[in-house]
Amino acid sequence: MIKVLFVCLGNICRSPMAEFVLKQMVAEKGLADNFEIDSAATEGYNEMCHAGIHHGTRQMLKSMHIPFEEHYSRRIRPHDYAYFDYILAMDDSNIEDIQSLVGMDTEHKIYRLLDFTDHPRNIKDPWYTGNFDRTYEDSVEGCRALLEKIKQEYDL
Ligand code: 4NP
């Protein structure tokens, strides 16, 4: 089982978008049984108020016919670092925050999602930009590149 955890600040906009985009991609390729895919936050405030997926992310997934189930924000824990094989942050500040919560990346598991693309960069936060189309496009680009890397690494 290949275990992938997407991480953003609030776990209600970007990381659930990437989670369900990748779930759909692996399902389409008949690879779903090989994967466990989840998402988490670096902050705890949305966990405290049991926040579900942001309506902007929901609308985007619905309009692209990407299935999703309910997901409630939760904060990444040290146990997640040991458990997951890939921990994909959305931006540089997520990486700093993840390391302050789980420790140094001694096993080289932590990357930005777009680091595997031809144009490594941060995924801007639609909580501030309001641009969920862009978040979706970046998620697709990042997940495609991530899946190629994983397929090569695991000979899938
Ligand atoms: P996300 O966006 O990190 O992509 O889920 C945010 C969601 C919530 C907040 C900030 C960013 N917030 O301040 O509650």
Side-chain angles (χ1 to χ4, degrees):
M1 188 68 87
I2 303 156
K3 303 186 199 86
V4 178
L5 182 69
F6 294 103
V7 180
C8 62
L9 181 65
N11 189 213
I12 62 173
C13 300
R14 292 167 294 174
S15 59
M17 181 91 84
E19 172 185 343
F20 293 109
V21 163
L22 186 64
K23 281 181 173 169
Q24 165 82 343
M25 271 183 199
V26 299
E28 273 175 0
K29 293 183 192 307
L31 294 172
D33 290 347
N34 298 85
F35 283 85
E36 180 175 337
I37 303 166
D38 195 6
S39 62
T42 58
E43 285 299 336
Y45 35 69
N46 288 305
E47 184 175 47
M48 302 290 280
C49 62
H50 305 289
I53 301 168
H54 190 282
H55 65 86
T57 291
R58 286 174 190 277
Q59 282 307 111
M60 200 65 228
L61 291 170
K62 272 187 200 159
S63 71
M64 300 313 293
H65 307 290
I66 294 176
F68 60 96
E69 65 258 20
E70 197 46 272
H71 173 90
Y72 294 101
S73 177
R74 72 166 183 92
R75 199 173 200 187
I76 189 170
R77 298 175 292 256
H79 166 77
D80 291 309
Y81 185 78
Y83 186 76
F84 286 93
D85 301 304
Y86 290 93
I87 298 174
L88 287 323
M90 300 296 134
D91 59 37
D92 294 316
S93 68
N94 297 155
I95 293 203
E96 279 175 32
D97 294 341
I98 292 168
Q99 289 185 341
S100 72
L101 291 164
V102 307
M104 292 308 290
D105 185 17
T106 51
E107 294 180 55
H108 304 291
K109 295 178 172 185
I110 305 175
Y111 302 89
R112 290 179 307 181
L113 178 56
L114 293 177
D115 281 346
F116 304 114
T117 71
D118 294 337
H119 303 286
R121 62 193 188 277
N122 292 335
I123 297 186
K124 291 197 181 106
D125 195 337
W127 175 266
Y128 302 107
T129 66
N131 191 342
F132 285 85
D133 290 39
R134 184 65 193 270
T135 311
Y136 172 74
E137 286 158 15
D138 286 347
S139 297
V140 170
E141 184 182 344
C143 288
R144 277 197 188 124
L146 171 68
L147 194 49
E148 279 312 305
K149 178 187 164 61
I150 291 176
K151 279 168 68 182
Q152 280 178 11
E153 237 165 65
Y154 286 82
D155 206 14
L156 293 176

